[in-house]
Amino acid sequence: MAKKNKKPAAGESPNLEPQSAAESSTAPSTSTTNKKKSTTPTIPSAPQSSSSSSALVICRNKHWRYISSFHGPWLQLPFEVLETLANANYYMPLPRPVDPAVFYDLVKIRKLVDVSTDLAVRAANGVASKAMSNSMAGGTAHHMQALGLGFGNNGGAKLSPERRFRMREQATQKLSRAYHLDEIASSVATMQSTSTLENVAGLVLQRAPNDPDANYVHFFHEKIPSRQLAECTDFRALDLIISQRPSDCEPLRTRAIVKMFKDDFEGAAQDLTTALNVCRLQQPLHKPVAEEAMQLERKTWRRRDNPPLDERDQPSSIEAQLLFQRAGCYLTLACDHVTFALPESPIERNGTAQNGTSSPSNETVNGDSVPQEAEGETEEDKGPSKKNLEMRKTVRLYAKRALRDYMEFLKHFHYSPNLPVEVSSDFSHQVNQATHRNKRYYSQPRHTSQDPGSPTGSSPAHTVYQLAALFSATPPADLPPYPSTSLVSSGSAAAEQPQTATEVVTYHPLLTDALHSLLLCHTLVQTSAKELQRHAYMVARLARLADGYPVFQASRSPARADWIEVLRRAENWIELASSWEALCAPAPLPAAITAAANGGSAVPTTASGSDAPSATGSPAPAPAETEEQRKERMRQQAIIEALEDERVNDEPSFKAAILARQRRAEADHANSTATNGGGGVPSPNAGPKRWAVDDGREYPILTERAEAVARWIREAPTGSGTGTGKRKKKSRNPKKPAEPEGSAPVDTATASASAAA
């Protein structure tokens, strides 16, 4: 079942970066010099519409979703520093600050993109010696050489065409390897590099049209009109690669993502299932051995440095990628079936009649002609049709599948309710020393609270849980209470009592989106309100701890935005104690970690300079803001956020987005003013913040996914029967049903005790 003109709530599209005028005026990067190669299956002829001739032309990979989640300092850090931080992160006790599989992927992608950029630039400019060019991607030397202003051919003799082809072929192979590791992170890395990389695969295809690496890279780098990926993309290149390399799961992942853009979510789920089977079949067997050796070394802590981990022993992130993408497919399919699972609303029936698609005596419901009943008969009297009941089962089925995949995704990450502060501060010390190119921490004693008898090398009071265990039917009992006043209070109040332990969760760029998608799945599965409230508080607990320090910056989560809208539309049906923004407010950092991150200084690191507190821990006084200044600031912020919204594609939608954001900002301001009048909610800028944590500004425009989930809450019955959509509160002592003949009598006291339990 494909939707028309529906752009997804299942993921976030990047903020498209406009290219230069020279690039926007060029056609897709195919050479016209060799016309014999122009009809190869590797360069599909994209259909051109009359409006696409004047559209912005950009690379295909700039349309990929979740690109903003992978932005961060890892793109600018020196490669040696990035590699050092990845090793330091890997050797930390569980839960590690950042998922080591993603961290090592970033290191490998940076190296591959840097080397391929060097090769491509040298081939373009005829530089034979590697010493004549800068090996860092995006370096000044590369920019000058790409413009023809660099060193020229100082290597002496001119490079032969064969030598240039071999260099470009090597560059393409390395880029293909990077895209195999993680196509989202590789897309971000190539965007930050030179434009020479965009054409290197096309030049290789002129001589080797069936080269799988060149075809794979060219698929990402081919120029297409902006926001027209579905219309200007076919599967011929990917089908050729999959037939050539059936043991690779990464091309299947890429084809599934393209199918999502084309609204073929069932086909995407099939491709991802096949890719998961291939991935699990080829998982190496030596990884657990390497992990056990690392744990043994950590228990005794015989070495004080972080020896580089061999690449074959580094963890892989491909399985987590496939699980996350397939879960998004199933969740979107569940939301797509909500419209067909519920009876048509009176507004929809009136709109259908006005459009002339139904006659006065008959109306069309989901493609079936149904005779219209008497005017006095209500929708509740009719009850749902047989097709409605079948679609309700389909909604729950897809939601359960999505829930299963998200839970499997969360098993890759860990949480600790009581990690010693000295362990966290040790990592901050290492980051601070590494970024300042200082090796002194290698000779300093590491945290000596390691317990040699602990299998995970943690301190005696240090417990670790998989994130999936936190959402089980019986969650751990030793978690700190949440929500509580002490957790949401300002940093100055928390600083009164020094902390000896802190909550820590392993960071992943897609973790926040997966957690909020989990809540949407539970809503569609119709988990009880009390159980869903517990899961919501757990998601808020983890979201406020998620911190991409020191390699990722904050990003906006489409699933979080949809969950906020669902709570608004459903009028907080699970009775949360506070607004979602307040529950997810970033947790204050302990003073020891803050000082370690700043090189021993007492001034904490904040997400933005304007929010920097003073050395005493209290926020710096800000000048009073007038009402006119406040409205102008909200208007400017609304304009900026509307420009970043992928759903804005013309002037009417742009104006509507600005108006919606202004109204939402005014409503939030009025709500916060009324609450602050009682002195209940602290300022979000009070106290030290976690590094690069978003304050919760989301997309206020209602997405189709949020609308479907909110309607499901209001109208779908809790059971599989044909009752009304209104939820009825269950009485604590329900009436005893009539006993069938021949059944044993039920003890009233026992039944009451069971109900109370």
Side-chain angles (χ1 to χ4, degrees):
M1 186 196 74
K3 296 192 299 180
K4 295 183 180 179
N5 301 326
K6 290 196 176 181
K7 288 305 163 203
E12 177 187 3
S13 179
N15 301 326
L16 299 178
E17 301 176 2
Q19 305 296 303
S20 61
E23 293 182 13
S24 62
S25 61
T26 59
S29 57
T30 59
S31 174
T32 59
T33 58
N34 192 349
K35 296 184 179 180
K36 294 182 181 180
K37 309 296 184 185
S38 61
T39 59
T40 61
T42 60
I43 307 177
S45 57
Q48 299 292 333
S49 60
S50 59
S51 61
S52 64
S53 58
S54 60
L56 179 67
V57 179
I58 61 175
C59 292
R60 182 179 283 112
N61 62 355
K62 294 185 179 179
H63 295 80
W64 248 237
R65 295 167 188 156
Y66 300 106
I67 274 187
S68 64
S69 300
F70 284 82
H71 281 282
W74 71 274
L75 296 164
Q76 291 81 30
L77 283 174
F79 176 76
E80 296 78 8
V81 174
L82 186 64
E83 189 175 27
T84 301
L85 296 179
N87 288 326
N89 175 78
Y90 180 75
Y91 283 97
M92 290 297 295
L94 296 178
R96 299 181 178 103
V98 181
D99 179 38
V102 172
F103 213 144
Y104 277 120
D105 281 351
L106 299 184
V107 174
K108 289 180 281 192
I109 288 171
R110 267 289 304 275
K111 183 177 182 180
L112 292 167
V113 172
D114 289 352
V115 174
S116 60
T117 301
D118 180 74
L119 289 169
V121 171
R122 285 163 52 202
N125 294 278
V127 179
S129 175
K130 186 176 180 180
M132 299 303 300
S133 61
N134 188 354
S135 63
M136 296 305 296
T140 305
H142 281 173
H143 288 302
M144 295 177 64
Q145 290 173 11
L147 296 173
L149 304 175
F151 300 105
N153 188 7
N154 294 333
K158 184 178 180 180
L159 292 179
S160 65
E162 182 67 21
R163 177 74 181 277
R164 293 191 176 192
F165 171 75
R166 294 304 175 192
M167 294 172 68
R168 291 186 176 116
E169 189 178 40
Q170 292 179 20
T172 303
Q173 291 171 357
K174 294 184 181 299
L175 284 176
S176 176
R177 172 61 180 156
Y179 280 112
H180 275 69
L181 290 171
D182 192 318
E183 56 195 41
I184 304 177
S186 299
S187 299
V188 176
T190 54
M191 288 180 199
Q192 304 294 324
S193 187
T194 63
S195 59
T196 311
L197 288 182
E198 297 178 358
N199 304 321
V200 64
L203 296 174
V204 173
L205 287 175
Q206 293 178 12
R207 289 187 54 180
N210 294 325
D211 185 287
D213 291 323
N215 271 311
Y216 196 54
V217 175
H218 182 69
F219 178 82
F220 290 101
H221 292 179
E222 186 182 13
K223 299 290 185 67
I224 61 174
S226 175
R227 302 180 188 272
Q228 298 184 28
L229 186 145
E231 298 84 354
C232 301
T233 303
D234 59 25
F235 300 108
R236 283 181 291 175
L238 293 175
D239 292 343
L240 177 64
I241 298 169
I242 293 171
S243 64
Q244 291 173 327
R245 295 178 174 176
S247 60
D248 288 356
C249 60
E250 293 84 2
L252 287 167
R253 173 197 63 193
T254 305
R255 189 172 70 176
I257 292 177
V258 177
K259 287 183 178 181
M260 294 183 206
F261 280 102
K262 292 177 175 287
D263 293 332
D264 181 14
F265 293 97
E266 293 180 354
Q270 293 175 1
D271 278 350
L272 291 168
T273 301
T274 305
L276 271 169
N277 294 333
V278 173
C279 172
R280 289 166 177 169
L281 185 65
Q282 297 182 348
Q283 281 181 344
L285 300 178
H286 63 269
K287 288 293 180 64
V289 178
E291 180 72 14
E292 289 175 5
M294 188 272 295
Q295 295 287 1
L296 178 62
E297 182 177 285
R298 186 191 299 163
K299 282 197 301 183
T300 57
W301 212 263
R302 297 169 183 171
R303 306 185 62 167
R304 299 185 184 278
D305 59 346
N306 299 327
L309 188 66
D310 191 85
E311 184 172 341
R312 65 185 181 88
D313 294 327
Q314 294 174 2
S316 172
S317 66
I318 182 63
E319 183 178 3
Q321 297 175 36
L322 298 175
L323 287 170
F324 179 83
Q325 296 290 351
R326 191 175 69 170
C329 286
Y330 286 142
L331 179 56
T332 303
L333 285 170
C335 294
D336 289 349
H337 285 78
V338 167
T339 303
F340 306 100
L342 301 174
E344 196 174 12
S345 64
I347 298 178
E348 292 175 346
R349 290 198 303 273
N350 293 337
T352 305
Q354 291 176 1
N355 292 333
T357 57
S358 62
S359 61
S361 59
N362 295 280
E363 64 174 343
T364 302
V365 179
N366 300 329
D368 299 331
S369 180
V370 180
Q372 190 173 8
E373 303 294 336
E375 294 182 0
E377 190 174 8
T378 63
E379 194 68 32
E380 295 182 1
D381 297 331
K382 296 180 185 178
S385 64
K386 181 179 179 181
K387 189 171 185 179
N388 291 146
L389 298 177
E390 293 176 354
M391 287 299 159
R392 289 175 187 175
K393 295 180 181 179
T394 304
V395 169
R396 298 187 184 96
L397 175 64
Y398 280 127
K400 288 179 181 178
R401 290 180 179 178
L403 186 63
R404 175 200 61 195
D405 283 349
Y406 280 125
M407 292 291 284
E408 289 294 323
F409 175 79
L410 294 179
K411 287 181 180 179
H412 291 78
F413 317 112
H414 299 87
Y415 161 84
S416 174
N418 52 6
L419 184 71
V421 173
E422 59 266 20
V423 177
S424 298
S425 61
D426 178 74
F427 180 71
S428 299
H429 273 299
Q430 295 185 61
V431 172
N432 182 63
Q433 300 291 349
T435 53
H436 289 82
R437 306 294 185 92
N438 194 330
K439 301 290 185 177
R440 289 182 301 170
Y441 68 92
Y442 283 136
S443 60
Q444 293 176 354
R446 306 298 295 270
H447 41 274
T448 57
S449 59
Q450 299 282 356
D451 181 17
S454 174
T456 60
S458 59
S459 58
H462 174 197
T463 55
V464 178
Y465 300 103
Q466 286 185 342
L467 291 192
L470 304 180
F471 298 94
S472 61
T474 56
D478 61 341
L479 303 183
Y482 189 83
S484 65
T485 307
S486 60
L487 287 176
V488 194
S489 62
S490 64
S492 58
E496 295 177 359
Q497 297 180 355
Q499 291 181 260
T500 59
T502 181
E503 293 181 277
V504 175
V505 64
T506 302
Y507 183 83
H508 187 279
L510 304 176
L511 177 62
T512 303
D513 203 80
L515 290 172
H516 288 84
S517 298
L518 193 75
L519 297 179
L520 298 177
C521 293
H522 274 292
T523 303
L524 294 175
V525 174
Q526 295 183 317
T527 302
S528 65
K530 184 177 181 180
E531 186 77 3
L532 185 54
Q533 183 193 65
R534 180 174 69 84
H535 292 323
Y537 282 143
M538 190 64 69
V539 168
R541 176 201 299 272
L542 298 175
R544 67 197 295 269
L545 298 173
D547 189 356
Y549 178 82
V551 288
F552 290 110
Q553 70 182 24
S555 63
R556 295 177 180 173
S557 164
R560 171 174 169 168
D562 288 344
W563 173 249
I564 292 175
E565 290 293 344
V566 168
L567 287 175
R568 292 177 184 270
R569 299 278 171 161
E571 299 178 353
N572 190 17
W573 85 105
I574 57 176
E575 299 179 355
L576 296 177
S578 182
S579 68
W580 192 251
E581 292 84 350
L583 290 172
C584 295
L589 283 172
I593 301 178
T594 306
N598 289 275
S601 171
V603 181
T605 304
T606 59
S608 60
S610 60
D611 297 334
S614 62
T616 60
S618 59
E625 186 181 41
T626 63
E627 185 68 15
E628 292 76 10
Q629 291 175 342
R630 182 188 64 80
K631 290 184 177 180
E632 179 63 22
R633 174 175 57 81
M634 289 183 174
R635 190 180 72 85
Q636 294 294 336
Q637 184 66 29
I639 292 175
I640 293 174
E641 293 181 357
L643 289 172
E644 296 175 351
D645 193 344
E646 66 149 339
R647 289 160 286 192
V648 174
N649 50 22
D650 53 16
E651 187 174 356
S653 61
F654 179 65
K655 292 180 178 179
I658 295 176
L659 182 60
R661 285 166 168 79
Q662 285 181 309
R663 289 176 177 173
R664 176 61 51 81
E666 289 292 343
D668 291 342
H669 174 72
N671 187 21
S672 63
T673 302
T675 307
N676 285 332
V681 177
S683 171
N685 296 332
K689 279 182 169 182
R690 291 185 173 266
W691 186 82
V693 176
D694 192 11
D695 287 331
R697 294 188 303 271
E698 307 290 347
Y699 303 106
I701 298 179
L702 183 66
T703 62
E704 294 170 354
R705 180 170 69 175
E707 184 179 9
V709 176
R711 185 183 174 192
W712 180 261
I713 296 170
R714 294 192 305 265
E715 302 179 20
T718 55
S720 59
T722 60
T724 62
K726 296 182 180 179
R727 296 173 178 268
K728 298 180 180 179
K729 293 185 178 180
K730 295 181 180 179
S731 59
R732 299 191 65 87
N733 293 317
K735 272 188 178 181
K736 184 173 67 174
E739 298 177 7
E741 295 182 2
S743 61
V746 180
D747 185 16
T748 308
T750 305
S752 302
S754 302

